[in-house]
Amino acid sequence: MSYKCSRCKRDVTLDEYGGVRCPYCGHRVLLKERSRDIKEVSVE
């Protein structure tokens, strides 16, 4: 899953052991990237 650091704006991939820090600047706030897929919802 792709995340972006809120301080340095670099792309970050989290490891499977739960490391929640930017490896570049050490900031702990990561933003989840939104999907660019368009989803359709059926209205009945």
Side-chain angles (χ1 to χ4, degrees):
M1 178 125 338
S2 173
Y3 293 88
K4 189 170 287 252
C5 176
S6 66
R7 179 184 287 167
C8 68
K9 307 295 188 225
R10 290 188 177 180
D11 291 329
V12 176
T13 303
L14 298 182
D15 60 1
E16 60 185 56
Y17 299 108
V20 185
R21 277 190 187 267
C22 176
Y24 306 105
C25 70
H27 198 60
R28 293 181 51 163
V29 178
L30 302 177
L31 305 172
K32 187 175 179 181
E33 289 289 307
R34 290 184 178 242
S35 173
R36 297 196 183 265
D37 297 336
I38 298 173
K39 297 180 182 179
E40 293 184 22
V41 178
S42 63
V43 180
E44 295 180 21

